[in-house]
Amino acid sequence: MTQNVDTRPQPLSAGMIYCHGCGKPIHESARSCPNCGAVARGAKSGRSKWSAAILAFFLGGFGVHRFYLGQPIVGLIYLLFCWTLVPALIAFFEFIYFLVISEEKFRPAVQPLTTATDRQEAAGTGLGSLSVDNR
Ligand SMILES: [Zn+2]
């Protein structure tokens, strides 16, 4: 007989967090829970504000941190205007911003502003407003 069901509360060892889905201890670096598949909220993997800050500091003038944050359009604008040194200046302030904001504030900020569906709807709205006769 195999004992694959263990309902006893397990002591939390170092580097472990409780899964918010099933309550079982999982490693803090785990992207998702191996027990129930819930995506870990406090996962340290993925985009980090520290990586973004380092990229903004060293390569911010080329918009590399924007590409890293999943904003390639903004990144391209930085790249196009990198010779003006203005993106480098903006990136320096962003570097400070990344350092001072909390991880909780950083995470929603790096989400793409709109989904593909939203973009299509926005484009549709834009076309609609263009066709409006303003006379
Ligand atoms: Zn779980």
Side-chain angles (χ1 to χ4, degrees):
M1 276 183 71
T2 53
Q3 290 182 330
N4 53 7
V5 178
D6 189 3
T7 52
R8 288 176 302 173
Q10 296 163 11
L12 210 56
S13 52
M16 302 292 278
I17 54 166
Y18 284 116
C19 169
H20 65 89
C22 63
K24 284 191 176 180
I26 56 171
H27 196 257
E28 63 177 358
S29 68
R31 238 177 230 273
S32 60
C33 173
N35 300 309
C36 67
V39 175
R41 263 190 301 221
K44 287 186 177 177
S45 50
R47 290 171 186 143
S48 134
K49 74 182 189 113
W50 301 111
S51 308
I54 289 161
L55 286 173
F57 186 77
F58 289 105
L59 300 162
F62 304 105
V64 173
H65 61 300
R66 287 293 179 175
F67 289 105
Y68 172 73
L69 296 175
Q71 298 163 333
I73 306 297
V74 186
L76 274 176
I77 294 168
Y78 278 61
L79 200 57
L80 279 173
F81 292 98
C82 66
W83 57 274
T84 65
L85 298 180
V86 173
L89 191 70
I90 299 168
F92 181 72
F93 285 108
E94 283 174 323
F95 160 71
I96 296 166
Y97 174 72
F98 289 143
L99 290 186
V100 296
I101 60 166
S102 63
E103 202 82 38
E104 287 74 30
K105 273 188 180 177
F106 172 79
R107 286 186 182 280
V110 302
Q111 296 299 318
L113 289 175
T114 52
T115 63
T117 320
D118 288 340
R119 268 192 215 113
Q120 280 172 352
E121 281 168 7
T125 315
L127 286 170
S129 61
L130 278 174
S131 65
V132 167
D133 193 352
N134 53 8
R135 265 186 291 176

